[in-house]
Amino acid sequence: MTRSAANPEFPRVVDVAQLRGVSAFAFDVAPEPGEAAALARLLDAQAVRKLRLRGRLAPAPGAAWSLEAELGATVVQTCVVTLEPVTTRIDTPVRRLFTPEARPAGAVAGEFEIGPEDDDEIEPLGDRIDLGLVAIEALALALPPYPRREGAELGSSAASAPPGAAPLDAGEARPFAALGALRAKSGEDK
């Protein structure tokens, strides 16, 4: 495995040329402390405590390579309600099919068939496969976009207004409140 500047946060690059003639390539990658700090910045997290991608690359039909792995990670994010730290544990399978074709018809990767619903698991095959980039993408997709501490709820009393102005109340915030009041008034006049 080599390193690359294309993915400066967590590069773990496998040269495809070195895979020729190999029935399977096992891997187990994890970031060093400096890389984990760079990943936390990239993911807008407080910390990436653990990250590990373990699996294998195997030849697939059509000069392709299938990747089957398990991603394990512990990430500290900021609660969107309280701004306190929230620790999230991620354990998820990762599958990719690296293929020189744009979209292989009925491609079989390992023991699973890739269908149209799996387009996000198909990657173009170049000269190298960056396992670190696969791990970053899988982690970013698995993290909660709006992490919350258990029991944290956004109150309904949240309001804001420019300096010197009173915040709108619930009735004023409804776009057709004035129209409803006008209609009610016109009904009273009859």
Side-chain angles (χ1 to χ4, degrees), residues 44-113:
D44 197 25
Q46 292 182 17
V48 174
R49 287 190 186 151
K50 295 178 185 176
L51 174 62
R52 182 178 195 180
L53 183 69
R54 181 177 25 190
R56 68 186 200 111
L57 284 164
W65 285 90
S66 73
L67 176 145
E68 291 191 40
E70 287 292 322
L71 176 76
T74 303
V75 179
V76 180
Q77 296 175 281
T78 303
C79 174
V80 296
V81 177
T82 65
L83 302 180
E84 296 177 39
V86 178
T87 301
T88 302
R89 178 66 195 167
I90 303 289
D91 289 296
T92 187
V94 178
R95 301 181 333 165
R96 296 290 185 278
L97 179 65
F98 295 92
T99 178
E101 301 174 27
R103 173 73 177 107
V108 176
E111 296 182 6
F112 59 88
E113 187 169 323

Side-chain angles (χ1 to χ4, degrees), residues 74-172:
T74 303
V75 179
V76 180
Q77 296 175 281
T78 303
C79 174
V80 296
V81 177
T82 65
L83 302 180
E84 296 177 39
V86 178
T87 301
T88 302
R89 178 66 195 167
I90 303 289
D91 289 296
T92 187
V94 178
R95 301 181 333 165
R96 296 290 185 278
L97 179 65
F98 295 92
T99 178
E101 301 174 27
R103 173 73 177 107
V108 176
E111 296 182 6
F112 59 88
E113 187 169 323
I114 302 291
E117 69 280 359
D118 298 316
D119 279 343
D120 58 339
E121 295 179 356
I122 298 174
E123 302 281 343
L125 178 65
D127 295 337
R128 300 185 240 183
I129 297 172
D130 190 340
L131 300 172
L133 200 55
V134 171
I136 292 168
E137 179 185 272
L139 179 58
L141 291 171
L143 283 174
Y146 304 104
R148 286 187 180 189
R149 288 192 64 85
E150 192 171 321
E153 295 199 21
L154 186 60
S156 60
S157 63
S160 65
L168 297 175
D169 67 16
E172 295 171 324

Side-chain angles (χ1 to χ4, degrees), residues 9-27:
E9 289 84 13
F10 181 42
R12 297 297 184 275
V13 179
V14 177
D15 289 319
V16 174
Q18 294 177 340
L19 296 176
R20 288 194 185 110
V22 174
S23 61
F25 175 77
F27 59 85

